[in-house]
Each structure stands twice: as C-alpha cells, then as structure tokens.
Amino acid sequence: MNRSSLSASSSASSATSASSHPLAPYGWDGGWEAEFAPYAEQGLLPGRVVRVDRGQCDVVTPSGTVRADTEFVVPRDPMKVVCTGDWVAVDPEGSDPLYVRTLLPRRTAFVRSTSSKRSEGQVLATNIDHVVICVSLAVELDLGRIERFLALAMSCASGEALLHESAAAPRFGAQPVVVLTKADLVPEPATLAHLVQDVETTAPGVPVLTLSAQAGDGLDVLVALVGSGTSVLLGQSGAGKSTLANALLGEDVMDVRAARDVDGKGRHTTTTRNLLALPGGGVLIDTPGLRGVGLFDAETGVGQVFAEIEELAEDCRFSDCGHESEPGCAVRLAVETGELPVRRLESYRKLMRENQWIVAKTDARLRAEIKKDWKRRGAEGKAAMEAKRGRRW
C-alpha cells in the first residue's frame, strides 16, 4: 500500500472513530480529535462546555456531564475566558475536584463589546456554524439593529476574534440567518411579504425565514438548516428565542414568559447561555436577551453587510472618501439618484464610526489618525461653506 493510500485509510479511520464517539452528538469530529490528541496522551478527557456559572462550568464528556472548576483557565484577557461552546480538556473521572485544564483553539467566536470603559470584548458563544438572529414581528422592525447583529455575525464568520492565532486552528465560517418570529401576528400575506422584502434588502445574501413557533409554521425549514453543526440563537428579550428553542428541542426545556403588551419587550427568562443537543441532529446554544449589541472589531462584517456601498465606493474619486462632502463621491451620487436608500448610508456611517472608535480606544496611533482626519474634514467643510457664501480664502 502506497503512502497516499495509507493517508486516506488513516483519515477514513479517524472520521469513523469520530462519528461513533460519545461526543459526536455535540459536534465532535476528526478535527477536534486531532486537536485533542496531545491531551489524550496525558490521560485527560475531552468535553464541551454546556454552561458557565461563577467560576464553574458544566462539561459534557464521554462519561457524562460533570461540574468542573475553571481556576486553571482564568486569563487576564476576557476574550479567552471559558465560554459556552468551548471544547476543553478536563481531569479524568474520579478526580476530586475536577478542573478544566485547557481550552482547545476556537474555530469561530461571536463577540460583542462590553459596556466597560476599557472597550473589552465579550465572547457570547464559540465554535458555532450558524448564527440565528431572532427578530419579533410583534413590534416594529428595527432594520438598524438587524444590520448591527449581522455585522457581528459576519465578523465571526470571517474567522476573527479567535482564542488562539494559530495556523493549525481551522477557520470555518458561521452562516448567519434572520428568523422573523411570531409570524402568526401578521395575518395579511402581502404585509408579511413586504416585511420580508425589507429585511432581505437589509441583509443581502442572508436567508430570511418567517416562523411561528407556537403554530409550527416554517419550523421545518429551520430544523433542516440547524440539523448539523452548532447554532446560536441571538436577539432581544421578547424575540421568542426560548419558545423557538423549545420547538426545536421538541420539549419545554427553556422557561418562557409572555412579552409586555405595551411595547412587546420580553422578560429575561434565560439568564445563562445553554448548549443543548437537538433530537434530529445538531447543537443549539440559547442566549439571554441582548439589550445592547456593541460592535467589536467588526469592520469586515460591516463591509459585508453593506457590500453595495463598498462596491460603489470603488468608483469614488478619492480612495479615502468619507462619502460626506468630498467631490466625485459615487456613494452620494447613488443616494441622489435613488439607487441607494439614504437610511442605508446613514446606518453604514454610524456602524463604521462606532467600530473605528472602539478599535481606536486600544490603538493610540489609530486614535491620533482619527483626530487628524476629523480636523481635516472639519477644515474642508468650513472652506466649502465659505466658498458657497462667496467668500474665498
């Protein structure tokens, strides 16, 4: 048998071994098996974090779910804190107490900025394949918020914000999908179609599904989508995430409370991030409702969400055009001709400024460049106004 045949045979054997592994329902595969090999030689057990709570975490292992201490994996960097979805190496069964000894390199991570003045990132879920953005049709659509969620989701998909910068760590993508929940509250098909079209325009190239978890309408499409890999449910309180999670799980696992009639806002029934294996295949991470969704190093995601603006910008006269008062701006021309909605441009500017400011807080050189650019733009704007009034320098 030649070398290539041996390699193919070894790969097939590894894949078969991974598929029959007790952790296969939780996403274990040949890649994770290879990453874990050095720790297996040390007698440690592989496991996936299903819940984190005050320095302790629940980890599902080949021997069952155990409670483990995270004392040995408490870094100063908040981006490396143990999170739901992480694959870890834990002490073998019988150890007392049990400790998480190390985290395996993350494939993807969904990160938002915290409310901290230090502009730190907060990892909400890791090793995810689908980002399911839940939006309630019980209240008026907030397209800007959807764009914000998508920017973060697409930054996750681009392989940013990983635990380790390692060439050996595979950089798989995460597929975003927008789910319009409580579709039964919009009985008119024409109205529902109009809402879907608005969201599709906001989320170019992203699947947009309508769903009523209580009635079961549209659930089969989502079940097929999340039937493989790991999916995370994101959205505001009251978006119907817990109801949707129960529908996907086929039983009432998550607590559900009704949203307020006054403004459609929900109550925080989910207080921790929980990882659950779906009966038809796939893994689900349910998260608490998000009041704030701050960007964190999401320039790539913003560019993908507003791909049409990035494409138009290639025809601007200046490569660093801010699409405000510069002559020869192709983006502003598209707004004037009706090709580009002004709301899209305003949202793009807002998210780009926010992301730039967040990054600048930790980068002194970039912060100085931003201030210099603001002064230049201010001077240009003043000169333009003076010229308009007929007073030239």
Side-chain angles (χ1 to χ4, degrees):
M1 184 179 291
N2 59 34
R3 184 175 299 178
S4 60
S5 298
L6 284 171
S7 177
S9 176
S10 176
S11 298
S13 176
S14 176
T16 302
S17 173
S19 64
S20 60
H21 195 278
L23 291 177
Y26 289 89
W28 183 262
D29 59 27
W32 292 122
E33 187 168 330
E35 288 282 358
F36 187 76
Y39 306 106
E41 294 175 358
Q42 300 173 26
L44 298 175
L45 286 179
R48 193 165 193 191
V49 178
V50 299
R51 186 171 179 268
V52 179
D53 182 29
R54 299 178 183 179
Q56 300 279 322
C57 62
D58 294 335
V59 182
V60 59
T61 73
S63 303
T65 302
V66 300
R67 188 75 164 165
D69 197 298
T70 62
E71 181 180 349
F72 294 110
V73 284
V74 180
R76 292 183 178 180
D77 185 352
M79 295 281 284
K80 297 179 181 178
V81 171
V82 177
C83 182
T84 301
D86 276 329
W87 285 96
V88 299
V90 297
D91 288 328
E93 189 177 8
S95 303
D96 187 22
L98 286 173
Y99 288 98
V100 173
R101 295 294 174 174
T102 191
L103 276 67
L104 301 189
R106 292 168 177 165
R107 291 178 177 174
T108 54
F110 188 94
V111 185
R112 68 166 178 177
S113 68
T114 67
S115 57
S116 168
K117 293 182 179 179
R118 295 190 299 272
S119 302
E120 297 172 339
Q122 179 188 20
V123 184
L124 297 182
T126 64
N127 300 314
I128 49 182
D129 302 284
H130 306 100
V131 179
V132 182
I133 302 167
C134 299
V135 181
S136 172
L137 290 176
V139 294
E140 185 177 353
L141 282 179
D142 185 342
L143 298 179
R145 178 170 285 271
I146 295 174
E147 289 164 342
R148 182 178 290 271
F149 269 110
L150 285 170
L152 287 171
M154 290 180 174
S155 293
C156 163
S158 68
E160 296 174 356
L162 296 176
L163 174 66
H164 300 296
E165 290 294 332
S166 169
R171 293 183 172 228
F172 299 118
Q175 168 68 51
V177 56
V178 178
V179 175
L180 302 179
T181 64
K182 307 183 182 182
D184 53 296
L185 299 180
V186 186
E188 291 293 331
T191 302
L192 184 59
H194 178 72
L195 293 171
V196 171
Q197 185 178 19
D198 283 347
V199 177
E200 287 177 338
T201 302
T202 298
V206 175
V208 179
L209 310 179
T210 58
L211 188 145
S212 171
Q214 291 187 336
D217 297 335
L219 189 63
D220 55 337
V221 179
L222 185 60
V223 168
L225 181 69
V226 303
S228 61
T230 298
S231 304
V232 58
L233 296 181
L234 298 168
Q236 289 182 288
S237 294
K241 296 188 303 300
S242 294
T243 301
L244 180 55
N246 287 338
L248 291 171
L249 290 163
E251 56 181 316
D252 293 338
V253 175
M254 310 304 297
D255 186 22
V256 177
R257 298 182 192 175
R260 297 197 303 244
D261 292 332
V262 175
D263 54 13
K265 291 184 178 179
R267 301 164 176 84
H268 285 284
T269 53
T270 303
T271 56
T272 59
R273 294 181 284 277
N274 304 282
L275 184 147
L276 303 157
L278 295 172
V283 180
L284 185 71
I285 299 177
D286 189 21
T287 65
L290 300 175
R291 290 191 180 93
V293 194
L295 299 186
F296 186 82
D297 198 11
E299 183 175 354
T300 300
V302 174
Q304 289 179 308
V305 173
F306 297 92
E308 79 277 30
I309 296 180
E310 299 268 303
E311 185 176 346
L312 285 167
E314 293 179 2
D315 294 327
C316 289
R317 181 182 300 178
F318 303 109
S319 59
D320 61 345
C321 184
H323 319 309
E324 293 178 355
S325 60
E326 298 88 346
C329 176
V331 174
R332 284 202 343 274
L333 178 61
V335 171
E336 292 168 3
T337 59
E339 180 184 353
L340 177 69
V342 66
R343 190 205 67 79
R344 285 282 283 176
L345 178 56
E346 290 174 348
S347 184
Y348 172 76
R349 286 171 174 165
K350 179 180 179 181
L351 294 183
M352 287 297 283
R353 282 196 302 266
E354 178 184 329
N355 187 72
Q356 191 178 45
W357 181 244
I358 289 294
V359 174
K361 283 186 176 181
T362 57
D363 188 329
R365 186 176 65 176
L366 179 59
R367 187 162 58 247
E369 290 177 354
I370 291 173
K371 288 182 178 179
K372 182 179 179 180
D373 187 54
W374 284 351
K375 288 181 180 179
R376 178 181 63 81
R377 292 182 189 279
E380 289 176 351
K382 183 178 179 181
M385 288 299 295
E386 292 294 338
K388 189 174 182 180
R389 291 172 183 170
R391 299 201 307 267
R392 299 183 182 276
W393 296 100

